[in-house]
């Protein structure tokens, strides 16, 4: 077998140069993604880091000729195991496709290769007075290609939407190894089917993204952060709906329930108060004039809602605290099992209460927090991951939380994708016709089923 794998590496090196084919001692970093905290790990048969789209196309063509799976990989920050080579295959890391192809600040556009880090795009946009709004939490490690493949979101998605809305065109390698352009720089193009949209969120199962034309926005000149302390979930739900109905459009609208608050209370940059049971975190943004108007409207609305407190901590301290929340929660018992379910926003309170009910039925410490405005909640069970029984109860509770999301007309994943972790879930969420349509698309674009097999889609309709 070892000699087969040596031969595989030699073949790949002939195609793309030996500098693009890693030696086995370097595989460990490519064997897992952020789901390693759950213990998910794969075994690559080979790892390639092609230098350009043509090399990606050659590798995919070789895989198609030899019936070998190809697993596209971005920054490996995925929380669904999408980039993990669970069934072996050639891991195709896009890290060397890291060039900025063009920046056109006057036209609010940037074209980049797929392996450019998300944070690099943020910085370049900012330096040019612009904004790339999608802000998934691991932006210093994730890549634009990975963000596109997962349609990543983040806190600012409430006002600005997820990554797909910022992509006007893609360069992709489709099976059996064709470099193809889907869309371009134009803002509107309704000539063909929306194949660009189809690739967005496809988690490496339909093609490999090698470059993207990105849309940017003028950066807001001012922001204001507000933390609203409330007496409980019901009051939080009422205020959330009033806020949305009022027309005030915060850029960020997050929530934390009582257990999430208590896990991170000590480091909160302000006076929380012992009676805090729920929190909404908002960021308003815009020009000075827009901000003053929205801020006044918000205060009017809050007068009627009678929260326990209205805090205005230093914005960067507040968002740093929010960014550290995952760590503070995991620290409670040493680890956590968490699912990114989403529900229609009017069902948020029912989802929070349902997740806590599930947690207590399984004897688990539980909390929820997330992107309130988008109805995305991280259903989180805090566990000692060394304790096998507790971990298996948490995994069962996570399955129940996914079923709850479907019952509440929601989705099993609002942000992270199905990947490997939720590969059986799409069949639960979709009706038979929608599932059959998914398979028609998969079979058309990947007839041999070699692009990231076993991810996203598992069961065929019965
Ligand atoms: C601390 C932390 C916070 C996070 N916060 C958020 C958040 O707020 N919002 C959010 O949406 N996500 C969040 N995530 C999840 C993760 O960062 C996103 O899913 C991100 O978009 C993954 O990008 P990546 O480059 O790391 O992709 P990877 O993990 O490498 O891959 C993810 C999937 O995309 C595929 N893929 C990667 N690159 C390509 C490509 N070029 N072409 C085709 N397919 C490709 C892979 O096969 C895999 O299926 C968070 C993760 C962590 C660890």
């Amino acid at each position: 077998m070892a000699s087969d794998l040596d031969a595989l590496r030699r073949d790949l090196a002939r195609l793309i140069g030996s500098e693009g084919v890693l030696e086995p001692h370097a595989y460990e970093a490519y064997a897992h993604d952020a789901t390693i905290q759950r213990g998910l790990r794969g075994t690559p048969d080979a790892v390639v880091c092609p230098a350009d789209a043509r090399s990606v196309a050659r590798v995919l063509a070789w895989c198609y000729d030899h019936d070998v799976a190809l697993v596209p990989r971005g920054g490996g920050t995925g929380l669904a195991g999408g980039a993990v080579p669970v069934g072996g295959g050639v891991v195709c890391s896009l890290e060397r496709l890291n060039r900025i192809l063009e920046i056109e600040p006057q036209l609010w556009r940037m074209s980049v290769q797929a392996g450019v880090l998300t944070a690099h795009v943020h910085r370049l946009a900012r330096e040019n007075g612009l904004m790339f709004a999608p802000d998934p939490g691991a932006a210093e490690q994730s890549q634009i290609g990975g963000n596109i493949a997962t349609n990543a979101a983040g806190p600012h998605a409430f006002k600005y939407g997820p990554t797909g809305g910022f992509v006007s065109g893609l360069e992709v390698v489709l099976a059996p190894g064709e470099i193809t352009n889907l869309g371009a720089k134009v803002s509107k193009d309704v000539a063909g089917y929306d194949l660009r949209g189809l690739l967005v969120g496809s988690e490496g199962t339909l093609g490999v993204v090698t470059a993207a034309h990105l849309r940017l926005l003028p950066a807001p000149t001012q922001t204001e952060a507000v933390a609203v302390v409330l007496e409980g979930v019901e009051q939080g739900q009422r205020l959330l709906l009033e806020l949305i109905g009022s027309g005030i459009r915060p850029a960020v609208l997050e929530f934390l329930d009582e257990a999430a608050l208590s896990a991170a209370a000590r480091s909160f940059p302000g006076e929380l108060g012992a009676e805090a049971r729920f929190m909404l975190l908002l960021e308003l943004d815009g020009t000075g004039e827009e901000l003053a108007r929205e801020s006044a409207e918000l205060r009017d609305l809050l007068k009627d809602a009678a929260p326990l407190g209205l805090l205005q901590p230093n914005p960067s301290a507040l968002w740093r605290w929010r960014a550290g929340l995952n760590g503070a929660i995991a620290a409670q018992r040493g680890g956590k099992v968490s699912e990114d379910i989403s529900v229609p926003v009017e069902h948020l309170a029912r989802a929070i209460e349902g997740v806590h009910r599930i947690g207590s039925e399984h004897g688990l410490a539980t909390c929820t927090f997330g992107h309130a405005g988008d109805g995305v909640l991280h259903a989180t069970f805090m566990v000692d991951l060394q304790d096998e029984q507790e971990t298996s109860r948490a995994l069962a509770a996570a399955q129940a939380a996914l079923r709850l999301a479907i019952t509440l007309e929601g989705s099993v994943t609002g942000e992270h994708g199905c990947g490997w972790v939720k590969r059986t879930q799409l069949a639960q969420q979709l009706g038979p016709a929608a599932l059959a349509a998914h398979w028609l698309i998969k079979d058309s674009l990947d007839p041999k089923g070699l692009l990231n097999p076993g991810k996203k889609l598992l069961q065929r309709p019965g």
Side-chain angles (χ1 to χ4, degrees):
M1 187 62 182
S3 61
D4 285 354
L5 295 183
D6 290 344
L8 166 61
R9 274 206 318 284
R10 276 197 301 276
D11 274 3
L12 292 168
R14 265 195 293 276
L15 289 175
I16 65 168
S18 54
E19 67 286 0
V21 182
L22 299 193
E23 293 296 320
H25 65 78
Y27 288 2
E28 171 53 25
Y30 299 84
H32 58 80
D33 64 6
T35 53
I36 188 68
Q37 43 167 306
R38 288 182 174 200
L40 184 64
R41 186 186 292 279
T43 312
D45 292 324
V47 179
V48 294
C49 302
D52 52 28
R54 279 192 7 225
S55 301
V56 175
R58 281 190 204 120
V59 172
L60 182 55
W62 186 95
C63 287
Y64 247 70
D65 277 349
H66 294 82
D67 291 322
V68 172
L70 181 134
V71 181
R73 181 181 179 91
T77 68
L79 287 165
V84 181
V86 182
V90 175
V91 173
C92 179
S93 171
L94 279 296
E95 66 199 55
R96 288 172 74 205
L97 275 77
N98 59 2
R99 282 193 305 124
I100 304 292
L101 301 172
E102 197 172 16
I103 309 183
E104 299 166 283
Q106 297 299 325
L107 297 170
W108 307 355
R109 295 196 303 229
M110 192 189 306
S111 300
V112 301
Q113 288 187 315
V116 171
L117 298 182
T118 316
H120 190 37
V121 171
H122 285 155
R123 280 191 285 272
L124 278 177
R126 233 181 358 253
E127 282 164 21
N128 286 282
L130 297 167
M131 165 174 72
F132 180 67
D135 56 345
E140 293 288 348
Q141 294 93 44
S142 68
Q143 300 176 0
I144 286 297
N147 297 161
I148 292 168
T150 53
N151 198 10
H156 285 82
F158 176 56
K159 181 169 182 177
Y160 296 105
T163 301
F166 291 82
V167 178
S168 65
L170 290 176
E171 178 190 80
V172 293
V173 174
L174 297 178
E178 304 291 338
I179 301 175
T180 313
N181 286 300
L182 305 174
K185 291 180 179 177
V186 286
S187 322
K188 298 200 97 185
D189 173 5
V190 293
Y193 295 129
D194 184 7
L195 299 182
R196 177 209 59 85
L198 195 56
L199 264 288
V200 170
S202 62
E203 300 183 57
T205 62
L206 299 180
V208 185
V209 176
T210 48
H213 299 292
L214 303 178
R215 296 187 177 114
L216 306 171
L217 289 172
T221 53
Q222 290 190 31
T223 60
E224 178 183 332
V226 179
V228 187
V229 183
L230 296 153
E231 64 193 23
V233 179
E234 285 305 328
Q235 195 190 20
Q237 173 79 77
R238 269 198 310 279
L239 179 55
L240 178 62
L241 295 182
E242 279 166 21
L243 254 168
I244 291 171
S246 73
I248 301 170
R249 195 71 178 153
V252 175
L253 180 46
E254 303 274 295
F255 84 93
L256 286 83
D257 73 7
E258 184 181 358
L261 263 179
S262 100
R266 268 198 299 174
S267 53
F268 183 76
E271 263 314 303
L272 253 188
E275 62 291 356
R277 300 281 178 272
F278 195 82
M279 182 181 273
L280 288 178
L281 293 176
L282 292 85
E283 182 182 278
L284 302 175
D285 71 354
T287 60
E289 208 175 297
E290 286 163 345
L291 202 66
R293 182 177 41 76
E294 286 218 316
S295 183
E297 284 172 9
L298 176 66
R299 273 154 183 80
D300 272 354
L301 188 127
L302 289 176
K303 256 189 241 149
D304 294 337
L308 295 174
L310 177 65
L311 308 170
Q312 281 202 282
N314 172 296
S316 47
L318 180 68
W319 298 123
R320 244 194 334 272
W321 173 75
R322 170 62 183 86
L325 188 60
N326 264 304
I329 288 169
Q332 298 300 298
R333 291 198 49 73
K336 63 184 172 66
V337 172
S338 189
E339 296 295 358
D340 65 317
I341 59 177
S342 78
V343 295
V345 69
E346 67 275 23
H347 294 332
L348 188 68
R350 285 176 66 194
I352 294 169
E353 284 155 4
V355 169
H356 278 277
R357 194 174 50 249
I358 290 167
S360 80
E361 282 163 8
H362 290 78
L364 297 164
T366 304
C367 71
T368 64
F369 60 100
H371 313 310
D374 287 320
V376 172
L377 66 157
H378 299 292
T380 305
F381 306 104
M382 295 169 271
V383 291
D384 171 2
L385 291 169
Q386 306 303 319
D387 180 336
E388 278 180 28
Q389 281 190 352
E390 193 175 56
T391 305
S392 86
R393 288 206 308 281
L395 292 172
Q399 292 299 311
L402 302 181
R403 287 194 293 276
L404 171 74
I406 295 172
T407 314
L408 293 175
E409 301 169 74
S411 172
V412 294
T413 169
E415 286 205 317
H416 303 153
C418 283
W420 171 261
V421 172
K422 294 183 190 165
R423 64 199 183 283
T424 60
Q425 293 298 325
L426 207 55
Q428 312 302 316
Q429 183 176 318
L430 298 180
L435 186 63
H438 272 68
W439 275 108
L440 281 173
I441 291 165
K442 171 74 175 164
D443 291 339
S444 310
L445 289 180
D446 180 21
K448 286 190 163 189
L450 295 173
L451 278 162
N452 218 358
K455 309 290 171 59
K456 200 169 182 78
L457 272 176
L458 188 69
Q459 293 110 327
R460 288 183 180 267

